[in-house]
Short mmCIF file of all heavy atoms in Angstrom, two decimals:
data_model
loop_
_atom_site.label_atom_id
_atom_site.label_comp_id
_atom_site.label_asym_id
_atom_site.label_seq_id
_atom_site.Cartn_x
_atom_site.Cartn_y
_atom_site.Cartn_z
N ILE L 1 17.95 -6.40 8.73
CA ILE L 1 18.43 -6.48 7.36
C ILE L 1 17.34 -7.13 6.51
O ILE L 1 16.81 -8.17 6.87
CB ILE L 1 19.74 -7.29 7.27
CG1 ILE L 1 20.81 -6.60 8.11
CG2 ILE L 1 20.18 -7.45 5.83
CD1 ILE L 1 22.10 -7.37 8.19
N ARG L 2 17.06 -6.56 5.38
CA ARG L 2 16.01 -7.07 4.51
C ARG L 2 16.62 -7.91 3.39
O ARG L 2 17.71 -7.64 2.92
CB ARG L 2 15.23 -5.92 3.89
CG ARG L 2 14.46 -5.15 4.93
CD ARG L 2 13.62 -4.11 4.30
NE ARG L 2 12.84 -3.46 5.34
CZ ARG L 2 11.66 -2.93 5.14
NH1 ARG L 2 11.14 -2.94 3.95
NH2 ARG L 2 11.01 -2.37 6.12
N SER L 3 15.86 -8.92 2.98
CA SER L 3 16.30 -9.76 1.87
C SER L 3 16.09 -9.01 0.57
O SER L 3 15.40 -8.00 0.53
CB SER L 3 15.52 -11.07 1.85
OG SER L 3 14.18 -10.82 1.49
N GLN L 4 16.64 -9.55 -0.51
CA GLN L 4 16.49 -8.89 -1.80
C GLN L 4 15.03 -8.83 -2.21
O GLN L 4 14.57 -7.83 -2.75
CB GLN L 4 17.29 -9.65 -2.87
CG GLN L 4 17.27 -8.95 -4.21
CD GLN L 4 18.12 -9.65 -5.24
OE1 GLN L 4 18.66 -10.71 -4.98
NE2 GLN L 4 18.25 -9.06 -6.39
N GLY L 5 14.26 -9.88 -1.94
CA GLY L 5 12.84 -9.87 -2.27
C GLY L 5 12.09 -8.78 -1.54
O GLY L 5 11.22 -8.14 -2.10
N GLU L 6 12.41 -8.57 -0.28
CA GLU L 6 11.76 -7.51 0.49
C GLU L 6 12.14 -6.15 -0.05
O GLU L 6 11.33 -5.25 -0.11
CB GLU L 6 12.12 -7.63 1.97
CG GLU L 6 11.48 -8.81 2.64
CD GLU L 6 11.93 -8.99 4.07
OE1 GLU L 6 12.90 -8.33 4.47
OE2 GLU L 6 11.32 -9.79 4.78
N HIS L 7 13.40 -5.99 -0.45
CA HIS L 7 13.86 -4.71 -0.99
C HIS L 7 13.12 -4.39 -2.28
O HIS L 7 12.69 -3.27 -2.49
CB HIS L 7 15.37 -4.74 -1.23
CG HIS L 7 15.91 -3.47 -1.80
ND1 HIS L 7 15.95 -2.29 -1.10
CD2 HIS L 7 16.39 -3.18 -3.03
CE1 HIS L 7 16.45 -1.34 -1.85
NE2 HIS L 7 16.72 -1.86 -3.04
N MET L 8 12.95 -5.39 -3.14
CA MET L 8 12.26 -5.17 -4.40
C MET L 8 10.79 -4.82 -4.15
O MET L 8 10.23 -3.99 -4.85
CB MET L 8 12.36 -6.42 -5.27
CG MET L 8 13.75 -6.63 -5.82
SD MET L 8 13.88 -8.13 -6.79
CE MET L 8 12.85 -7.71 -8.18
N ALA L 9 10.18 -5.42 -3.14
CA ALA L 9 8.77 -5.14 -2.85
C ALA L 9 8.59 -3.68 -2.44
O ALA L 9 7.53 -3.11 -2.65
CB ALA L 9 8.27 -6.07 -1.75
N GLU L 10 9.61 -3.09 -1.86
CA GLU L 10 9.51 -1.69 -1.45
C GLU L 10 9.28 -0.78 -2.64
O GLU L 10 8.64 0.26 -2.52
CB GLU L 10 10.79 -1.25 -0.74
CG GLU L 10 10.92 -1.77 0.65
CD GLU L 10 12.15 -1.24 1.34
OE1 GLU L 10 12.63 -0.16 0.97
OE2 GLU L 10 12.63 -1.92 2.24
N LYS L 11 9.79 -1.13 -3.80
CA LYS L 11 9.70 -0.27 -4.97
C LYS L 11 8.53 -0.64 -5.87
O LYS L 11 8.24 0.06 -6.81
CB LYS L 11 11.00 -0.36 -5.77
CG LYS L 11 12.22 0.04 -4.98
CD LYS L 11 12.15 1.47 -4.53
CE LYS L 11 13.36 1.86 -3.70
NZ LYS L 11 13.24 3.17 -3.13
N GLU L 12 7.85 -1.72 -5.57
CA GLU L 12 6.76 -2.18 -6.40
C GLU L 12 5.54 -1.28 -6.23
O GLU L 12 5.21 -0.86 -5.13
CB GLU L 12 6.38 -3.61 -6.01
CG GLU L 12 5.37 -4.24 -6.90
CD GLU L 12 5.13 -5.70 -6.55
OE1 GLU L 12 5.76 -6.22 -5.62
OE2 GLU L 12 4.30 -6.30 -7.22
N THR L 13 4.86 -0.99 -7.34
CA THR L 13 3.63 -0.20 -7.29
C THR L 13 2.51 -1.07 -6.75
O THR L 13 2.27 -2.16 -7.25
CB THR L 13 3.28 0.32 -8.69
OG1 THR L 13 4.35 1.15 -9.15
CG2 THR L 13 1.99 1.13 -8.67
N LEU L 14 1.83 -0.59 -5.71
CA LEU L 14 0.79 -1.36 -5.05
C LEU L 14 -0.61 -0.85 -5.34
O LEU L 14 -1.58 -1.37 -4.78
CB LEU L 14 1.04 -1.38 -3.53
CG LEU L 14 2.36 -1.99 -3.08
CD1 LEU L 14 2.48 -1.93 -1.56
CD2 LEU L 14 2.49 -3.43 -3.57
N VAL L 15 -0.71 0.15 -6.17
CA VAL L 15 -2.03 0.67 -6.55
C VAL L 15 -2.13 0.66 -8.07
O VAL L 15 -1.13 0.69 -8.78
CB VAL L 15 -2.27 2.10 -6.01
CG1 VAL L 15 -2.28 2.12 -4.49
CG2 VAL L 15 -1.25 3.08 -6.54
N ILE L 16 -3.35 0.61 -8.56
CA ILE L 16 -3.57 0.61 -10.01
C ILE L 16 -3.65 2.07 -10.46
O ILE L 16 -4.63 2.76 -10.17
CB ILE L 16 -4.85 -0.16 -10.37
CG1 ILE L 16 -4.74 -1.60 -9.87
CG2 ILE L 16 -5.11 -0.10 -11.87
CD1 ILE L 16 -6.02 -2.38 -9.95
N ALA L 17 -2.60 2.49 -11.15
CA ALA L 17 -2.48 3.90 -11.53
C ALA L 17 -3.67 4.39 -12.33
O ALA L 17 -4.20 5.48 -12.07
CB ALA L 17 -1.18 4.11 -12.32
N SER L 18 -4.13 3.61 -13.29
CA SER L 18 -5.25 4.05 -14.13
C SER L 18 -6.52 4.26 -13.31
O SER L 18 -7.29 5.19 -13.58
CB SER L 18 -5.50 3.06 -15.26
OG SER L 18 -5.85 1.78 -14.75
N LYS L 19 -6.74 3.41 -12.31
CA LYS L 19 -7.93 3.54 -11.47
C LYS L 19 -7.84 4.78 -10.59
O LYS L 19 -8.83 5.49 -10.40
CB LYS L 19 -8.11 2.30 -10.59
CG LYS L 19 -8.32 1.03 -11.36
CD LYS L 19 -9.70 0.99 -11.95
CE LYS L 19 -9.98 -0.38 -12.55
NZ LYS L 19 -11.28 -0.45 -13.18
N VAL L 20 -6.66 5.04 -10.04
CA VAL L 20 -6.47 6.23 -9.20
C VAL L 20 -6.67 7.49 -10.03
O VAL L 20 -7.38 8.41 -9.63
CB VAL L 20 -5.07 6.23 -8.54
CG1 VAL L 20 -4.79 7.56 -7.85
CG2 VAL L 20 -4.93 5.06 -7.57
N LYS L 21 -6.05 7.52 -11.20
CA LYS L 21 -6.17 8.68 -12.08
C LYS L 21 -7.62 8.92 -12.49
O LYS L 21 -8.10 10.05 -12.48
CB LYS L 21 -5.28 8.52 -13.30
CG LYS L 21 -3.80 8.61 -12.97
CD LYS L 21 -2.94 8.36 -14.20
CE LYS L 21 -1.47 8.46 -13.86
NZ LYS L 21 -0.62 8.26 -15.04
N ALA L 22 -8.32 7.85 -12.84
CA ALA L 22 -9.73 7.98 -13.25
C ALA L 22 -10.59 8.47 -12.10
O ALA L 22 -11.46 9.32 -12.28
CB ALA L 22 -10.24 6.63 -13.77
N PHE L 23 -10.34 7.95 -10.90
CA PHE L 23 -11.11 8.37 -9.73
C PHE L 23 -10.93 9.86 -9.48
O PHE L 23 -11.91 10.59 -9.28
CB PHE L 23 -10.70 7.57 -8.49
CG PHE L 23 -11.37 8.04 -7.24
CD1 PHE L 23 -12.66 7.64 -6.95
CD2 PHE L 23 -10.72 8.90 -6.37
CE1 PHE L 23 -13.31 8.09 -5.80
CE2 PHE L 23 -11.34 9.36 -5.22
CZ PHE L 23 -12.64 8.95 -4.93
N ILE L 24 -9.68 10.31 -9.48
CA ILE L 24 -9.41 11.72 -9.20
C ILE L 24 -9.98 12.60 -10.31
O ILE L 24 -10.59 13.64 -10.03
CB ILE L 24 -7.90 11.96 -8.99
CG1 ILE L 24 -7.48 11.31 -7.67
CG2 ILE L 24 -7.56 13.44 -9.02
CD1 ILE L 24 -6.00 11.33 -7.38
N LYS L 25 -9.83 12.19 -11.56
CA LYS L 25 -10.37 12.99 -12.66
C LYS L 25 -11.90 13.06 -12.59
O LYS L 25 -12.48 14.13 -12.76
CB LYS L 25 -9.94 12.41 -14.00
CG LYS L 25 -10.37 13.27 -15.16
CD LYS L 25 -9.83 12.79 -16.48
CE LYS L 25 -10.27 13.76 -17.56
NZ LYS L 25 -9.74 13.41 -18.87
N ASP L 26 -12.55 11.92 -12.33
CA ASP L 26 -14.01 11.90 -12.24
C ASP L 26 -14.51 12.73 -11.06
O ASP L 26 -15.55 13.38 -11.15
CB ASP L 26 -14.52 10.46 -12.10
CG ASP L 26 -14.34 9.65 -13.36
OD1 ASP L 26 -14.05 10.23 -14.43
OD2 ASP L 26 -14.48 8.41 -13.27
N ALA L 27 -13.77 12.71 -9.95
CA ALA L 27 -14.20 13.43 -8.75
C ALA L 27 -13.90 14.92 -8.82
O ALA L 27 -14.56 15.71 -8.14
CB ALA L 27 -13.53 12.82 -7.52
N SER L 28 -12.90 15.30 -9.64
CA SER L 28 -12.46 16.69 -9.54
C SER L 28 -12.04 17.34 -10.85
O SER L 28 -11.74 18.53 -10.87
CB SER L 28 -11.26 16.76 -8.59
OG SER L 28 -10.15 16.08 -9.18
N GLU L 29 -11.97 16.56 -11.93
CA GLU L 29 -11.45 17.07 -13.20
C GLU L 29 -9.97 17.44 -13.12
O GLU L 29 -9.45 18.13 -14.01
CB GLU L 29 -12.26 18.27 -13.71
CG GLU L 29 -13.68 17.91 -14.12
CD GLU L 29 -13.74 16.95 -15.30
OE1 GLU L 29 -12.95 17.10 -16.24
OE2 GLU L 29 -14.58 16.03 -15.26
N LEU L 30 -9.28 17.00 -12.08
CA LEU L 30 -7.84 17.26 -11.94
C LEU L 30 -7.04 16.11 -12.52
O LEU L 30 -7.51 14.97 -12.57
CB LEU L 30 -7.47 17.44 -10.47
CG LEU L 30 -8.09 18.63 -9.75
CD1 LEU L 30 -7.76 18.59 -8.27
CD2 LEU L 30 -7.59 19.93 -10.36
N LYS L 31 -5.82 16.42 -12.95
CA LYS L 31 -4.88 15.40 -13.42
C LYS L 31 -4.04 14.92 -12.25
O LYS L 31 -4.03 15.55 -11.18
CB LYS L 31 -4.00 15.96 -14.53
CG LYS L 31 -4.78 16.30 -15.78
CD LYS L 31 -3.87 16.79 -16.87
CE LYS L 31 -4.70 17.15 -18.09
NZ LYS L 31 -3.86 17.59 -19.19
N VAL L 32 -3.30 13.83 -12.45
CA VAL L 32 -2.51 13.22 -11.37
C VAL L 32 -1.06 13.11 -11.84
O VAL L 32 -0.79 12.55 -12.91
CB VAL L 32 -3.05 11.81 -11.03
CG1 VAL L 32 -2.22 11.15 -9.96
CG2 VAL L 32 -4.51 11.89 -10.60
N SER L 33 -0.15 13.61 -11.03
CA SER L 33 1.27 13.47 -11.37
C SER L 33 1.71 12.04 -11.09
O SER L 33 1.12 11.33 -10.28
CB SER L 33 2.12 14.45 -10.57
OG SER L 33 2.24 14.03 -9.23
N ALA L 34 2.75 11.61 -11.78
CA ALA L 34 3.28 10.25 -11.61
C ALA L 34 3.71 9.99 -10.17
O ALA L 34 3.59 8.88 -9.66
CB ALA L 34 4.44 10.02 -12.57
N ALA L 35 4.20 11.02 -9.49
CA ALA L 35 4.69 10.86 -8.12
C ALA L 35 3.57 10.47 -7.16
O ALA L 35 3.83 9.83 -6.13
CB ALA L 35 5.37 12.14 -7.65
N VAL L 36 2.33 10.81 -7.49
CA VAL L 36 1.20 10.48 -6.62
C VAL L 36 1.09 8.96 -6.47
O VAL L 36 0.83 8.45 -5.38
CB VAL L 36 -0.11 11.07 -7.17
CG1 VAL L 36 -1.33 10.49 -6.46
CG2 VAL L 36 -0.09 12.58 -7.04
N ILE L 37 1.29 8.22 -7.53
CA ILE L 37 1.18 6.76 -7.49
C ILE L 37 2.23 6.18 -6.55
O ILE L 37 1.95 5.27 -5.77
CB ILE L 37 1.30 6.17 -8.91
CG1 ILE L 37 0.25 6.78 -9.85
CG2 ILE L 37 1.21 4.66 -8.88
CD1 ILE L 37 -1.18 6.70 -9.36
N ASP L 38 3.44 6.72 -6.58
CA ASP L 38 4.50 6.27 -5.67
C ASP L 38 4.15 6.57 -4.22
O ASP L 38 4.35 5.74 -3.34
CB ASP L 38 5.84 6.92 -6.04
CG ASP L 38 6.37 6.45 -7.38
OD1 ASP L 38 6.01 5.34 -7.82
OD2 ASP L 38 7.14 7.21 -7.99
N VAL L 39 3.63 7.76 -3.98
CA VAL L 39 3.25 8.16 -2.61
C VAL L 39 2.14 7.25 -2.09
O VAL L 39 2.19 6.78 -0.95
CB VAL L 39 2.82 9.65 -2.57
CG1 VAL L 39 2.19 9.99 -1.23
CG2 VAL L 39 4.01 10.55 -2.85
N LEU L 40 1.14 7.00 -2.91
CA LEU L 40 0.05 6.11 -2.49
C LEU L 40 0.54 4.69 -2.24
O LEU L 40 0.13 4.05 -1.28
CB LEU L 40 -1.07 6.11 -3.53
CG LEU L 40 -1.94 7.35 -3.56
CD1 LEU L 40 -2.92 7.29 -4.73
CD2 LEU L 40 -2.70 7.52 -2.25
N SER L 41 1.44 4.21 -3.09
CA SER L 41 2.01 2.87 -2.88
C SER L 41 2.76 2.81 -1.57
O SER L 41 2.67 1.82 -0.83
CB SER L 41 2.93 2.49 -4.04
OG SER L 41 2.17 2.20 -5.20
N ASP L 42 3.51 3.86 -1.25
CA ASP L 42 4.23 3.91 0.03
C ASP L 42 3.26 3.88 1.21
O ASP L 42 3.51 3.21 2.21
CB ASP L 42 5.11 5.16 0.11
CG ASP L 42 6.31 5.10 -0.82
OD1 ASP L 42 6.64 3.99 -1.31
OD2 ASP L 42 6.91 6.17 -1.08
N LYS L 43 2.16 4.60 1.09
CA LYS L 43 1.16 4.61 2.17
C LYS L 43 0.50 3.24 2.33
O LYS L 43 0.31 2.77 3.45
CB LYS L 43 0.11 5.70 1.92
CG LYS L 43 0.67 7.11 2.13
CD LYS L 43 -0.42 8.15 2.01
CE LYS L 43 0.12 9.52 2.29
NZ LYS L 43 0.41 9.77 3.69
N VAL L 44 0.17 2.60 1.22
CA VAL L 44 -0.43 1.26 1.27
C VAL L 44 0.57 0.28 1.88
O VAL L 44 0.21 -0.55 2.73
CB VAL L 44 -0.87 0.80 -0.13
CG1 VAL L 44 -1.23 -0.68 -0.14
CG2 VAL L 44 -2.03 1.64 -0.62
N ARG L 45 1.83 0.38 1.48
CA ARG L 45 2.89 -0.49 2.01
C ARG L 45 3.00 -0.33 3.53
O ARG L 45 3.06 -1.31 4.27
CB ARG L 45 4.22 -0.15 1.34
CG ARG L 45 5.34 -1.10 1.63
CD ARG L 45 6.57 -0.80 0.78
NE ARG L 45 6.28 -1.02 -0.63
CZ ARG L 45 6.10 -0.07 -1.54
NH1 ARG L 45 6.20 1.19 -1.20
NH2 ARG L 45 5.83 -0.36 -2.79
N SER L 46 2.97 0.90 3.99
CA SER L 46 3.07 1.18 5.43
C SER L 46 1.87 0.61 6.18
O SER L 46 2.03 -0.01 7.25
CB SER L 46 3.18 2.69 5.65
OG SER L 46 3.24 2.99 7.01
N LEU L 47 0.68 0.79 5.64
CA LEU L 47 -0.53 0.23 6.25
C LEU L 47 -0.44 -1.29 6.32
O LEU L 47 -0.81 -1.90 7.34
CB LEU L 47 -1.77 0.65 5.47
CG LEU L 47 -2.19 2.11 5.59
CD1 LEU L 47 -3.24 2.44 4.53
CD2 LEU L 47 -2.72 2.40 6.98
N CYS L 48 0.04 -1.91 5.26
CA CYS L 48 0.17 -3.37 5.23
C CYS L 48 1.20 -3.86 6.24
O CYS L 48 0.98 -4.88 6.92
CB CYS L 48 0.53 -3.84 3.83
SG CYS L 48 -0.81 -3.70 2.64
N GLU L 49 2.32 -3.16 6.35
CA GLU L 49 3.34 -3.56 7.31
C GLU L 49 2.80 -3.51 8.74
O GLU L 49 3.07 -4.40 9.55
CB GLU L 49 4.58 -2.67 7.17
CG GLU L 49 5.37 -2.97 5.90
CD GLU L 49 6.47 -1.96 5.61
OE1 GLU L 49 6.52 -0.90 6.27
OE2 GLU L 49 7.27 -2.23 4.71
N GLU L 50 2.01 -2.50 9.04
CA GLU L 50 1.41 -2.38 10.38
C GLU L 50 0.40 -3.50 10.60
O GLU L 50 0.34 -4.10 11.68
CB GLU L 50 0.74 -1.02 10.54
CG GLU L 50 0.27 -0.73 11.95
CD GLU L 50 1.39 -0.67 12.98
OE1 GLU L 50 2.53 -0.31 12.64
OE2 GLU L 50 1.11 -1.01 14.15
N ALA L 51 -0.39 -3.81 9.59
CA ALA L 51 -1.38 -4.89 9.70
C ALA L 51 -0.69 -6.24 9.91
O ALA L 51 -1.16 -7.08 10.69
CB ALA L 51 -2.26 -4.92 8.46
N ILE L 52 0.43 -6.44 9.24
CA ILE L 52 1.21 -7.67 9.42
C ILE L 52 1.67 -7.80 10.86
O ILE L 52 1.55 -8.86 11.48
CB ILE L 52 2.40 -7.70 8.44
CG1 ILE L 52 1.90 -7.88 7.01
CG2 ILE L 52 3.40 -8.79 8.82
CD1 ILE L 52 2.94 -7.58 5.95
N LYS L 53 2.18 -6.71 11.40
CA LYS L 53 2.62 -6.71 12.81
C LYS L 53 1.46 -7.04 13.74
O LYS L 53 1.62 -7.82 14.69
CB LYS L 53 3.22 -5.35 13.19
CG LYS L 53 4.56 -5.06 12.58
CD LYS L 53 5.03 -3.68 12.99
CE LYS L 53 6.23 -3.24 12.19
NZ LYS L 53 6.62 -1.87 12.51
N ASN L 54 0.30 -6.46 13.48
CA ASN L 54 -0.87 -6.70 14.33
C ASN L 54 -1.32 -8.16 14.26
O ASN L 54 -1.64 -8.76 15.29
CB ASN L 54 -2.03 -5.78 13.92
CG ASN L 54 -1.75 -4.34 14.24
OD1 ASN L 54 -0.95 -4.02 15.12
ND2 ASN L 54 -2.38 -3.44 13.52
N ALA L 55 -1.32 -8.74 13.07
CA ALA L 55 -1.72 -10.14 12.92
C ALA L 55 -0.74 -11.06 13.65
O ALA L 55 -1.15 -11.99 14.35
CB ALA L 55 -1.81 -10.52 11.44
N LYS L 56 0.55 -10.79 13.48
CA LYS L 56 1.57 -11.61 14.16
C LYS L 56 1.46 -11.47 15.67
O LYS L 56 1.60 -12.45 16.40
CB LYS L 56 2.96 -11.22 13.68
CG LYS L 56 3.26 -11.73 12.28
CD LYS L 56 4.67 -11.38 11.87
CE LYS L 56 5.03 -11.97 10.52
NZ LYS L 56 6.42 -11.68 10.13
N ALA L 57 1.19 -10.26 16.15
CA ALA L 57 1.07 -10.03 17.59
C ALA L 57 -0.12 -10.81 18.17
O ALA L 57 -0.09 -11.22 19.33
CB ALA L 57 0.91 -8.54 17.88
N ASP L 58 -1.15 -11.04 17.34
CA ASP L 58 -2.31 -11.82 17.77
C ASP L 58 -2.11 -13.32 17.54
O ASP L 58 -3.02 -14.10 17.79
CB ASP L 58 -3.57 -11.37 17.01
CG ASP L 58 -4.17 -10.09 17.58
OD1 ASP L 58 -3.72 -9.65 18.66
OD2 ASP L 58 -5.08 -9.54 16.94
N GLY L 59 -0.94 -13.69 17.04
CA GLY L 59 -0.63 -15.10 16.82
C GLY L 59 -1.32 -15.71 15.61
O GLY L 59 -1.49 -16.91 15.52
N ARG L 60 -1.72 -14.87 14.67
CA ARG L 60 -2.41 -15.36 13.47
C ARG L 60 -1.48 -15.38 12.28
O ARG L 60 -0.49 -14.67 12.23
CB ARG L 60 -3.62 -14.47 13.14
CG ARG L 60 -4.76 -14.64 14.10
CD ARG L 60 -5.98 -13.80 13.73
NE ARG L 60 -5.79 -12.42 14.20
CZ ARG L 60 -5.50 -11.40 13.42
NH1 ARG L 60 -5.39 -11.53 12.13
NH2 ARG L 60 -5.35 -10.19 13.94
N LYS L 61 -1.84 -16.22 11.31
CA LYS L 61 -1.09 -16.30 10.05
C LYS L 61 -1.86 -15.65 8.91
O LYS L 61 -1.47 -15.76 7.76
CB LYS L 61 -0.79 -17.76 9.71
CG LYS L 61 0.19 -18.40 10.68
CD LYS L 61 0.55 -19.78 10.24
CE LYS L 61 1.58 -20.37 11.20
NZ LYS L 61 2.03 -21.68 10.74
N THR L 62 -2.96 -15.00 9.25
CA THR L 62 -3.79 -14.34 8.25
C THR L 62 -4.02 -12.89 8.67
O THR L 62 -4.42 -12.62 9.80
CB THR L 62 -5.16 -15.05 8.14
OG1 THR L 62 -4.94 -16.42 7.80
CG2 THR L 62 -6.04 -14.39 7.09
N VAL L 63 -3.74 -11.98 7.74
CA VAL L 63 -4.04 -10.57 7.98
C VAL L 63 -5.53 -10.38 7.74
O VAL L 63 -6.07 -10.79 6.71
CB VAL L 63 -3.22 -9.66 7.05
CG1 VAL L 63 -3.63 -8.20 7.20
CG2 VAL L 63 -1.72 -9.81 7.33
N GLN L 64 -6.20 -9.76 8.69
CA GLN L 64 -7.64 -9.50 8.60
C GLN L 64 -7.90 -8.01 8.62
O GLN L 64 -7.03 -7.21 8.97
CB GLN L 64 -8.36 -10.19 9.77
CG GLN L 64 -8.16 -11.69 9.80
CD GLN L 64 -8.77 -12.34 11.04
OE1 GLN L 64 -9.19 -11.67 11.96
NE2 GLN L 64 -8.79 -13.66 11.02
N GLU L 65 -9.14 -7.65 8.27
CA GLU L 65 -9.50 -6.23 8.21
C GLU L 65 -9.25 -5.53 9.53
O GLU L 65 -8.90 -4.36 9.58
CB GLU L 65 -10.94 -6.03 7.73
CG GLU L 65 -12.01 -6.55 8.66
CD GLU L 65 -12.28 -8.04 8.54
OE1 GLU L 65 -11.69 -8.74 7.70
OE2 GLU L 65 -13.12 -8.52 9.32
N LYS L 66 -9.43 -6.25 10.65
CA LYS L 66 -9.23 -5.64 11.96
C LYS L 66 -7.77 -5.28 12.22
O LYS L 66 -7.48 -4.50 13.12
CB LYS L 66 -9.76 -6.56 13.07
CG LYS L 66 -9.02 -7.87 13.22
CD LYS L 66 -9.69 -8.73 14.28
CE LYS L 66 -9.00 -10.07 14.42
NZ LYS L 66 -9.68 -10.90 15.42
N ASP L 67 -6.85 -5.82 11.43
CA ASP L 67 -5.43 -5.50 11.60
C ASP L 67 -5.07 -4.12 11.05
O ASP L 67 -4.02 -3.58 11.36
CB ASP L 67 -4.56 -6.57 10.93
CG ASP L 67 -4.74 -7.92 11.60
OD1 ASP L 67 -4.73 -7.97 12.84
OD2 ASP L 67 -4.91 -8.92 10.88
N PHE L 68 -5.98 -3.56 10.24
CA PHE L 68 -5.78 -2.21 9.72
C PHE L 68 -6.49 -1.25 10.66
O PHE L 68 -7.62 -0.84 10.44
CB PHE L 68 -6.37 -2.10 8.30
CG PHE L 68 -5.58 -2.88 7.28
CD1 PHE L 68 -5.92 -4.19 6.98
CD2 PHE L 68 -4.51 -2.29 6.62
CE1 PHE L 68 -5.20 -4.92 6.06
CE2 PHE L 68 -3.79 -3.01 5.69
CZ PHE L 68 -4.14 -4.33 5.40
N LYS L 69 -5.83 -0.92 11.75
CA LYS L 69 -6.42 -0.09 12.81
C LYS L 69 -6.15 1.38 12.55
O LYS L 69 -5.16 1.77 12.07
CB LYS L 69 -5.86 -0.46 14.17
CG LYS L 69 -6.15 -1.90 14.53
CD LYS L 69 -5.50 -2.25 15.81
CE LYS L 69 -5.72 -3.72 16.13
NZ LYS L 69 -5.03 -4.15 17.31
#
């Protein structure tokens, strides 16, 4: 069961929309739908959750780059 704070974090945008849109436009001249930002945030959230598990499994209180396997 998740706390209210954890539930709210699930819906929070974790990427900077303007930076993503600018990157894609500069790289391809394509536009970005609003849903892309949500999808990317979900992917970042999933990567972070896995890294948290890896850090805890190693007995650390700090997530490090090596936790993103």
Side-chain angles (χ1 to χ4, degrees):
I1 299 175
R2 294 185 176 209
S3 69
Q4 185 177 5
E6 289 175 348
H7 179 68
M8 289 178 67
E10 285 184 25
K11 301 298 179 187
E12 187 175 359
T13 299
L14 300 180
V15 297
I16 301 170
S18 61
K19 298 286 188 182
V20 171
K21 290 177 180 182
F23 175 80
I24 291 174
K25 185 174 183 178
D26 291 347
S28 67
E29 292 296 320
L30 296 173
K31 294 182 181 182
V32 178
S33 74
V36 168
I37 304 307
D38 293 335
V39 169
L40 285 174
S41 288
D42 289 344
K43 288 186 177 287
V44 169
R45 189 173 295 106
S46 179
L47 288 168
C48 289
E49 288 171 349
E50 188 63 29
I52 290 166
K53 289 178 191 175
N54 292 336
K56 286 183 175 182
D58 281 351
R60 288 183 279 105
K61 292 185 178 184
T62 302
V63 174
Q64 301 175 350
E65 66 278 357
K66 65 184 178 182
D67 296 315
F68 290 91
K69 299 176 184 176

